[in-house]
Amino acid sequence: MAKQNVNKKQNIAKQKAKQHTNQIKQQLKEEVATGLVDGVFVFTEALSVGDFATKIGKNAADILKFFFSQGTIMNQNMILSEEQMGELAIEFGFDFKKEEVLTKENILDQLTQVEDKPEDLKERPPIVTIMGHVDHGKTTLLDSMRNADVAAGEAGGITQAIGAYQVTHSSGKKITFIDTPGHEAFTEMRSRGANATDIVILIVAADDGVMPQTEEAIDHAKMAGVPIVVFVNKIDKPGADPEKVKSELMRYNLVAEEFGGDIPFIEGSAKQKIGLDKLQETLLLIAEINEYKANPNKFASGVVLEAHLDKAKGPVASVLIQQGTLEIKDTVIAGGTFGSIKNMENEHNKKVLKAEPSKPVVIYGLNEVPNAGDKILVMNDEKMARQIAEAQAEKQKQAERQSKQIFSLDSIKKYIDEGELKNINIIVKADTQGSVEALKGSLSKIDIAGVKLSIIRASVGAITNSDITLAGAGSAIVYGFNVRPDASVRKKAEEDGVEIRLHNIIYKVIEELEAAAKGMLDPEVVEVILGQAEIRNLFRHTAIGVIGGFHVTDGLIPRNAKIRVLRDGVVVYTGEISSLKHLKDDIKEAKIDSEGGLTIKNFNDIKEGDIIEAYKEETKK
Ligand code: GDP
């Protein structure tokens, strides 16, 4: 009897999935006319500047000029958003209308936003992201919460990091925590339309107060427009001053309830597990007020949190279900990939057969590795899933090509000549607050051919992925002053087409920008980074001094190259290697993944964790 019921249920689910797929098949259009119809500009999806111009019978230059006049730099190939198309229609005197049709390109966006009938909606756990300055305790808080999970004991199994996990509060209610630390992941996901967070916990260490990344976190959370809960951490430490944190945060309009504001402040200690219950209760209260809901009884959709290729198991993706219920054997599209789900696991390494809204799961069976932030959607028709995935992959490739090389120092003059470049966006990262202020001061006085410099971020510390993400989004140039990007940041900058300029003398920065505006950049002495090595241990030798035991993490380290010593991305010394050895032998160079010992000329202050960066200088026209 029980078995029959199960079979019956499965059949109903299957039928539903089939219906959904058939409906989509009927709705899906091969091609849709976008263009002028009786003086109304009808569009079905975003177009490039060039294509838009053709459709309305204008020159691309007219459109670029319009954007220049608004301070936005565009080029012919850039894709216009719906909003921008609307603005243009008004500018050129047309009405405009968006035609809601489903295409292989827009299907993931459209179908993940379908509105459900209120009666179909059910309560779902809130999805929470923790943000804050480095070392303020994000990881510890996540771990403590995971360990305090009342359900974890029963579930057994080791917890695996799958990008998110769910804990059950003692009241029986669940909370989902996103476990991808880093503000950039948060913003990148949002910039791709995948809003995977309901509430942000802003964590601030009570012994340290508001720091640069705290500010950054506030910006990100405010931009997302989600409720903020402040967790004042480390109150167990001597020197902890929670009141100071409260008054500091007032400057950012985060006002505690006791001062008449509406931001919950919870004081506690992630390490000593103080205040965790109150924190969870607060999150659940916010969830109750905001009534986070989703329809679990429909085809599933969600977002990819993390993905990688496993040698034995093939592509593995952690996904967060946002709507519907994902079931094993469902065929899904995940960004530009697709596949039938062979196996599904939860954060406790346990096999699960289905996943409901707000549930994170690991899925196996995709044909390739999707990107974090990709949307996932059930499409139980393999042929169609494949076609849609291919269309999505093509769309992603196009977007990638178009986002590259939006803006660089070389091109400033061109932009000034071509149109009305009003604004050059700059991000400043420096080793000390003093340098940040000095640079801000000097840059704000610069006037190059009537162009204003806007500093969109200025802070102390290494150049990070988040700086590159912001620069990419704002067409900005990143200036590093006595700080360096590491290899992964440099790679991201290359991929995103973001220019990084590194200096250590302020007037050089100014000179360079003025020269760029006149199109008179000097033949540039560029640095070529040869490699990086990490200092993993230290040996003290009475005659030689401090020897750094290194591991080459990138490229190679030649014995006679120039080097700099980086500590947390800040240059602490620039000089030369004095000896480079593998075991007892002197070597000419150390290759990637090799190990050895080195000493630095006139510098004995090497520390564990330091990065030794080898470089050479070349003149480039
Ligand atoms: P994250 O960089 O924000 O992820 O910070 P971590 O969670 O790695 O914490 C940084 C350091 O602060 C670690 O050494 C933690 O053990 C310590 N820490 C975190 N929370 C507390 C706390 O509540 N009290 C104390 N005394 N130390 C803490």
Side-chain angles (χ1 to χ4, degrees):
M1 179 67 191
K3 198 168 170 202
Q4 262 176 7
N5 268 344
V6 171
N7 278 341
K8 206 167 161 194
K9 261 196 192 154
Q10 274 178 352
N11 281 337
I12 293 174
K14 261 190 203 150
Q15 268 171 15
K16 264 196 190 160
K18 209 166 175 189
Q19 255 176 16
H20 147 69
T21 309
N22 282 339
Q23 267 171 9
I24 292 175
K25 263 189 171 164
Q26 280 167 12
Q27 284 175 28
L28 207 59
K29 298 276 189 309
E30 275 305 322
E31 233 175 297
V32 197
T34 290
L36 274 178
V37 184
D38 301 332
V40 179
F41 189 78
V42 182
F43 59 89
T44 55
E45 60 176 326
L47 289 176
S48 73
V49 170
D51 289 343
F52 187 92
T54 314
K55 297 243 188 249
I56 62 165
K58 298 262 171 205
N59 282 326
D62 296 331
I63 292 179
L64 296 178
K65 231 185 226 160
F66 168 74
F67 284 115
F68 277 143
S69 73
Q70 311 225 322
T72 311
I73 303 152
M74 304 276 288
N75 67 39
Q76 285 221 39
N77 299 323
M78 282 168 81
I79 300 288
L80 295 165
S81 67
E82 284 167 11
E83 206 182 323
Q84 286 171 326
M85 291 201 284
E87 281 171 30
L88 285 172
I90 293 170
E91 172 71 14
F92 293 108
F94 308 117
D95 265 340
F96 65 99
K97 177 172 118 187
K98 182 174 169 20
E99 196 78 75
E100 298 284 350
V101 288
L102 211 54
T103 65
K104 283 181 198 140
E105 285 74 26
N106 72 12
I107 185 167
L108 288 193
D109 293 326
Q110 298 265 3
L111 286 186
T112 47
Q113 282 164 19
V114 174
E115 297 224 344
D116 290 280
K117 292 192 209 109
E119 63 266 29
D120 291 337
L121 294 173
K122 295 238 163 64
E123 195 183 317
R124 62 167 177 81
I127 303 167
V128 180
T129 298
I130 305 178
M131 299 207 264
H133 193 70
V134 62
D135 277 348
H136 279 198
K138 288 185 293 291
T139 318
T140 313
L141 183 60
L142 279 162
D143 284 348
S144 296
M145 220 106 69
R146 206 181 337 227
N147 293 334
D149 179 11
V150 299
E154 302 155 29
I158 14 158
T159 31
Q160 50 174 352
I162 67 167
Y165 63 89
Q166 230 175 32
V167 301
T168 308
H169 179 248
S170 51
S171 65
K173 297 224 181 228
K174 293 191 163 89
I175 305 172
T176 301
F177 288 96
I178 302 268
D179 189 6
T180 15
H183 308 160
E184 62 270 21
F186 179 81
T187 295
E188 212 153 90
M189 221 171 254
R190 268 184 42 75
S191 74
R192 305 185 52 195
N195 292 344
T197 297
D198 299 314
I199 307 171
V200 165
I201 298 179
L202 179 70
I203 186 166
V204 189
D207 62 337
D208 204 22
V210 173
M211 297 302 277
Q213 286 162 340
T214 317
E215 281 181 33
E216 208 180 291
I218 296 170
D219 290 347
H220 286 276
K222 283 195 175 159
M223 220 150 55
V226 296
I228 299 175
V229 174
V230 179
F231 188 70
V232 184
N233 192 28
K234 304 198 188 186
I235 55 159
D236 58 313
K237 281 184 90 168
D241 190 350
E243 293 311 312
K244 186 162 157 258
V245 174
K246 274 183 211 163
S247 66
E248 279 178 343
L249 283 175
M250 283 214 211
R251 272 194 282 136
Y252 304 87
N253 273 332
L254 298 179
V255 183
E257 283 155 345
E258 62 195 89
F259 298 131
D262 58 356
I263 303 289
F265 274 66
I266 290 126
E267 295 174 20
S269 161
K271 199 169 167 183
Q272 316 286 349
K273 303 195 168 51
I274 304 169
L276 302 193
D277 200 55
K278 179 136 182 258
L279 179 61
Q280 292 194 0
E281 273 167 18
T282 308
L283 295 170
L284 288 171
L285 187 68
I286 294 175
E288 212 176 292
I289 295 167
N290 289 317
E291 300 190 329
Y292 302 119
K293 285 181 176 172
N295 177 2
N297 295 313
K298 66 171 190 180
F299 58 94
S301 62
V303 58
V304 175
L305 296 171
E306 284 176 8
H308 67 274
L309 188 66
D310 183 285
K311 273 194 191 125
K313 295 173 182 163
V316 181
S318 302
V319 303
L320 178 71
I321 306 304
Q322 294 173 302
Q323 302 191 47
T325 298
L326 184 64
E327 298 190 37
I328 212 155
K329 295 214 175 88
D330 270 343
T331 300
V332 296
I333 307 155
T337 73
F338 76 101
S340 183
I341 298 181
K342 281 192 275 189
N343 192 15
M344 194 148 81
E345 284 170 3
N346 67 11
E347 62 272 53
H348 303 295
N349 246 331
K350 284 265 159 82
K351 180 170 176 151
V352 289
L353 297 177
K354 55 184 188 179
E356 280 154 355
S358 294
K359 181 79 198 157
V361 279
V362 183
I363 59 170
Y364 301 89
L366 294 175
N367 68 330
E368 279 177 61
V369 181
N371 297 315
D374 277 344
K375 285 182 177 161
I376 176 167
L377 176 74
V378 168
M379 178 66 52
N380 281 326
D381 177 315
E382 183 150 335
K383 194 169 147 216
M384 199 156 79
R386 176 194 299 274
Q387 284 175 3
I388 293 172
E390 278 166 5
Q392 292 288 327
E394 183 51 37
K395 187 173 133 187
Q396 286 184 354
K397 254 192 247 155
Q398 243 178 36
E400 224 168 78
R401 278 198 292 270
Q402 271 147 8
S403 74
K404 277 190 183 164
Q405 281 309 335
I406 296 173
F407 199 61
S408 72
L409 210 54
D410 274 342
S411 58
I412 288 181
K413 169 119 180 18
K414 191 178 108 219
Y415 280 125
I416 293 176
D417 290 349
E418 256 176 25
E420 305 158 33
L421 175 62
K422 291 263 162 71
N423 214 349
I424 298 174
N425 286 337
I426 289 193
I427 292 179
V428 172
K429 297 302 289 268
D431 54 341
T432 64
Q433 193 59 37
S435 324
V436 171
E437 294 308 326
L439 272 166
K440 266 171 48 182
S442 304
L443 289 174
S444 66
K445 284 193 213 105
I446 272 195
D447 177 1
I448 40 178
V451 177
K452 210 181 118 235
L453 293 179
S454 295
I455 299 174
I456 57 175
R457 173 181 288 169
S459 63
V460 177
I463 298 170
T464 61
N465 279 330
S466 128
D467 297 325
I468 305 300
T469 305
L470 187 68
S475 301
I477 296 173
V478 180
Y479 269 95
F481 195 77
N482 265 340
V483 294
R484 320 278 313 168
D486 69 14
S488 76
V489 173
R490 227 180 306 123
K491 185 157 160 275
K492 180 170 163 61
E494 251 165 52
E495 283 169 5
D496 294 4
V498 169
E499 183 164 17
I500 302 179
R501 310 288 301 179
L502 302 164
H503 286 277
N504 48 17
I505 304 169
I506 290 184
Y507 75 79
K508 291 265 185 209
V509 178
I510 316 293
E511 269 183 14
E512 180 181 280
L513 277 164
E514 285 175 343
K518 295 188 199 121
M520 286 169 42
L521 280 175
D522 281 338
E524 194 193 339
V525 179
V526 290
E527 258 179 27
V528 180
I529 308 293
L530 302 171
Q532 286 194 337
E534 189 185 319
I535 301 297
R536 300 225 163 138
N537 35 44
L538 299 175
F539 309 94
R540 275 167 229 286
H541 189 283
T542 34
I544 304 173
V546 180
I547 302 168
F550 64 81
H551 181 107
V552 181
T553 51
D554 187 37
L556 54 89
I557 307 288
R559 152 80 183 77
N560 57 5
K562 295 188 172 185
I563 56 106
R564 53 173 72 82
V565 180
L566 311 177
R567 195 165 293 158
D568 297 328
V570 173
V571 182
V572 294
Y573 187 74
T574 306
E576 290 165 40
I577 292 178
S578 85
S579 72
L580 188 72
K581 283 182 195 286
H582 176 68
L583 302 174
K584 293 228 146 38
D585 303 328
D586 281 308
I587 49 174
K588 268 213 197 113
E589 59 182 37
K591 294 207 167 67
I592 187 156
D593 279 334
S594 69
E595 302 195 324
L598 59 76
T599 57
I600 295 168
K601 243 180 229 170
N602 304 324
F603 184 73
N604 250 333
D605 181 33
I606 316 178
K607 295 228 159 71
E608 240 172 76
D610 281 355
I611 302 292
I612 309 297
E613 180 173 86
Y615 66 97
K616 65 176 182 192
E617 284 170 345
E618 270 176 8
T619 308
K620 169 181 131 186
K621 200 59 189 152

